[in-house]
Amino acid sequence: MKRRSLILGAAAGVAAPVLASGATPAAASDATTDRPRPRNYSPSNKASNLRTLPATTRQVVVVTAAGYRTSYATLETFAKVDGRWNPVSAALPARIGSQYFSDQHVEGVPTTPTGVYSIGPTMYGIAANPGVRYPYHRLVTNDWWNENPKSAAYNTFQHTTTNPGGLSEALWQEKPAYTHFAVITYNMPPNVAKPVPNAGSGIFLHEFSRTPSGPTAGCVSLSHADLVSVLRWLDPAAQPRIVMCPLESLGRY
């Protein structure tokens, strides 16, 4: 339940991603500059104190907000090198749900769930593959995300000529939000064995739906350039995780 950026809230300034290599967004589109280039390790960076990540995870995305009462957030990326977490990107401006972070997200409420999640096994998009390392599915007519809690296929991708019902999204129609997106595995494997009805669905990392940016209905959104940089950097072999919460709650993880 994200339904692109809601037409709510004040405009947010959009800064270009600053990769560790100093690449601009244009340069970052070149495959040779898309690799993690960690900066000097800092024991106080947001990843360095995380304690609940799998030992095999070598990439982490950290999305934080100043508190539980704002839809403005930042997204930072970190890579583990020689056992230490190193920053890869500067803090990228992001938006979350119009009703902010929640520890108890439910279907139909525009909050962004807190927690630690994986990146889904397939990335998607209306546009062609921008060069991601994950399998990529280019969306076509009748590609849906099933957000009907009464459906056996709740919180999964479906290609069907019939609307699955509920708040299900016609993914191919969501421009520009779903130009490209990654699935955040909230209420789906491996975080839960089977989606729990009404616990929430369709939490994605996607593009701002409009300019200037607005809050989402539960997803995390970035500018186009920042999103592509992050999606191209993510590597399934590094078993990445995404951590989402207010700064005050980061110590939980």
Side-chain angles (χ1 to χ4, degrees):
M1 203 296 286
K2 30 348 26 286
R3 241 167 220 76
R4 45 263 149 251
S5 296
L6 299 183
I7 310 302
L8 297 172
V14 178
V18 180
L19 302 182
S21 61
T24 63
S29 66
D30 177 52
T32 61
T33 62
D34 191 45
R35 300 166 187 162
R37 300 177 188 273
R39 298 177 290 182
N40 292 333
Y41 167 75
S42 168
S44 61
N45 72 49
K46 290 178 183 175
S48 64
N49 293 318
L50 295 173
R51 297 292 179 262
T52 63
L53 298 177
T56 51
T57 290
R58 292 181 287 109
Q59 291 182 331
V60 65
V61 177
V62 180
V63 181
T64 55
Y68 278 95
R69 299 295 298 172
T70 180
S71 68
Y72 290 88
T74 59
L75 182 149
E76 298 168 73
T77 55
F78 300 88
K80 183 181 278 188
V81 179
D82 296 328
R84 294 178 170 180
W85 285 109
N86 292 265
V88 174
S89 70
L92 307 176
R95 297 302 294 270
I96 60 170
S98 63
Q99 292 189 23
Y100 325 126
F101 275 125
S102 174
D103 298 332
Q104 297 179 324
H105 177 72
V106 295
E107 190 68 58
V109 179
T111 57
T112 297
T114 57
V116 180
Y117 305 101
S118 298
I119 302 299
T122 301
M123 291 183 179
Y124 299 87
I126 294 169
N129 187 342
V132 302
R133 294 179 171 94
Y134 280 75
Y136 186 88
H137 173 77
R138 188 168 185 179
L139 296 169
V140 298
T141 301
N142 295 323
D143 280 349
W144 296 82
W145 198 266
N146 185 322
E147 301 184 28
N148 181 358
K150 297 180 180 179
S151 170
Y154 179 54
N155 203 18
T156 66
F157 171 86
Q158 300 283 304
H159 179 76
T160 173
T161 57
T162 304
N163 184 331
L167 297 173
S168 296
E169 288 192 281
L171 299 173
W172 74 97
Q173 297 179 355
E174 298 298 339
K175 300 177 181 180
Y178 296 164
T179 301
H180 310 291
F181 70 89
V183 177
I184 297 169
T185 62
Y186 170 77
N187 196 30
M188 59 189 301
N191 284 78
V192 295
K194 182 179 180 180
V196 177
N198 292 303
S201 59
I203 303 299
F204 305 146
L205 175 61
H206 67 72
E207 183 175 332
F208 291 149
S209 296
R210 62 187 180 91
T211 302
S213 66
T216 71
C219 291
V220 178
S221 64
L222 295 170
S223 73
H224 175 82
D226 287 354
L227 178 71
V228 169
S229 291
V230 172
L231 295 187
R232 293 184 68 194
W233 171 72
L234 287 166
D235 183 353
Q239 299 185 42
R241 295 295 189 272
I242 183 168
V243 180
M244 307 192 299
C245 65
L247 278 170
E248 64 198 69
S249 299
L250 195 58
R252 297 175 184 169
Y253 308 113

